Amino acid sequence: MRRTLLWVAALLPLAAGVVLAVLGRSGRLPGQRLYLSALPGDWALAAGAALSLVAVVGVGTAALRDRAWGRRLAARTAETGQDRRLLLSRLDHELKNPLTAMRAATANLAAIADPAQDAAVGTIEEQVLRLSRLTTDLRKIADIESARIDRRPVDLTDLIEEMVDVARDLPGAAEREIAVDLPRAPWPLPPVPGDADLLSLAVANLLDNALKYTPPGGRVEVRAREAGGEVVVEVADTGQGIPPEELPQVWEEMYRSPSARAVPGSGLGLPLVRAVVERHGGHVHADSRVGSGTLVRLTLPC
């Protein structure tokens, strides 16, 4: 829209020159009322054409510069993404062998009956497992961002119900209420084109997060609806909530709120969800109130 207006403005002097030339030749040019009335009609036309030419050259040069800048930015973004995926791949490769050796060593130590060191061995084993999960999740994000994904019709109703059933078996889930609200009438959710495994991973991560941050006796709600050619999936909880200034950061890899450090996690759950949804052409959003809970919304084209 802005560029169109610039082109129109650039051609206005030419249009004015044409009008003045026509009026001059027809004898209808108001002699002393227009600034250009003293000029012969052809001179007015030439002046307008010259001004428009200068303006068109300026607008064209700016447009070419904008396009070149856009291409450079796209190339730089692609290069940065490639470097990041390469870093994650190398990190996973370099850590895999040391972590395997550490797990084997802790297993050997655990086999030795020594109550004095049981607690220390347990702590080491726990942290090794945490690092293993961390590198696995980093690799998943890198793979999701670069790998080709399926584009088959996915029944989100079945997928969500299956992930909720899985979530009900998670530790502590029995102490929290999980409610599901999916449309049945007048019609169910339409299928969305995508990868069922990746979409299951995204919904499972949201449910896991909601259950982890909701205290016993709290409630987790999963709901979905169709709106404007898209399917909107929401997972809401009655947990501790996220401060407003931290909401934009929850989608960043490895970020963990200071108020959530006591809850086990890697800080990769929501970034992984975002990677999955964006690969499907959708977008994510989170709303939260401290002390009330959090709502995460996924929007997928159907």
Side-chain angles (χ1 to χ4, degrees):
M1 182 64 181
R2 175 175 170 271
R3 188 167 293 171
T4 301
L5 292 176
L6 287 174
W7 282 111
V8 171
L11 294 173
L12 279 178
L14 176 59
V18 171
V19 171
L20 290 172
V22 171
L23 290 176
R25 290 179 178 178
S26 64
R28 298 178 182 177
L29 191 64
Q32 301 299 322
R33 295 182 184 178
L34 291 176
Y35 178 77
L36 292 176
S37 62
L39 294 175
D42 291 343
W43 288 16
L45 177 59
L51 289 174
S52 285
L53 178 61
V54 172
V56 166
V57 170
V59 173
T61 302
L64 290 174
R65 186 170 60 247
D66 288 347
R67 289 180 182 177
W69 181 83
R71 287 194 295 267
R72 288 197 300 270
L73 179 61
R76 190 178 306 164
T77 301
E79 183 179 350
T80 301
Q82 180 63 29
D83 289 345
R84 177 176 161 279
R85 287 190 290 271
L86 182 60
L87 173 63
L88 294 179
S89 178
R90 287 179 176 173
L91 180 65
D92 175 59
H93 176 74
E94 294 297 329
L95 288 178
K96 187 179 298 182
N97 289 338
L99 287 173
T100 301
M102 291 169 68
R103 293 181 67 177
T106 54
N108 290 334
L109 288 173
I112 303 173
D114 186 353
Q117 68 179 20
D118 283 350
V121 171
T123 300
I124 295 171
E125 188 171 20
E126 180 181 339
Q127 295 305 314
V128 169
L129 288 173
R130 180 173 178 271
L131 282 173
S132 297
R133 288 193 295 267
L134 184 64
T135 56
T136 299
D137 287 343
L138 285 171
R139 185 176 66 252
K140 283 180 183 177
I141 293 176
D143 290 344
I144 289 168
E145 291 177 345
S146 59
R148 189 183 69 84
I149 63 172
D150 286 338
R151 293 290 180 183
R152 301 177 184 177
V154 177
D155 187 332
L156 281 182
T157 298
D158 288 346
L159 185 151
I160 291 171
E161 289 178 338
E162 181 182 353
M163 291 302 101
V164 169
D165 288 341
V166 172
R168 293 186 197 278
D169 293 330
L170 293 174
E175 302 171 5
R176 295 150 179 85
E177 181 183 2
I178 303 178
V180 183
D181 180 13
L182 300 175
R184 300 289 184 182
W187 48 74
L189 292 173
V192 300
D195 188 307
D197 291 337
L198 291 181
L199 292 172
S200 296
L201 182 64
V203 174
N205 269 274
L206 289 184
L207 285 166
D208 182 54
N209 257 16
L211 289 169
K212 281 196 303 186
Y213 291 104
T214 299
R219 180 181 175 91
V220 173
E221 294 185 358
V222 185
R223 44 188 180 259
R225 66 183 186 277
E226 179 187 1
E230 297 176 321
V231 173
V232 180
V233 180
E234 296 179 339
V235 177
D237 63 62
T238 56
Q240 62 190 36
I242 305 168
E245 65 274 10
E246 295 180 10
L247 267 178
Q249 302 175 70
V250 299
W251 304 106
E252 298 175 4
E253 294 165 9
M254 310 296 291
Y255 177 79
R256 300 208 70 210
S257 170
S259 60
R261 297 288 169 83
V263 181
S266 63
L268 293 172
L270 289 181
L272 192 149
V273 170
R274 183 183 65 176
V276 170
V277 173
E278 290 183 350
R279 281 305 309 275
H280 284 78
H283 53 274
V284 293
H285 180 73
D287 289 315
S288 190
R289 294 182 184 176
V290 175
S292 296
T294 301
L295 180 149
V296 179
R297 183 180 298 110
L298 314 182
T299 304
L300 297 164
C302 57

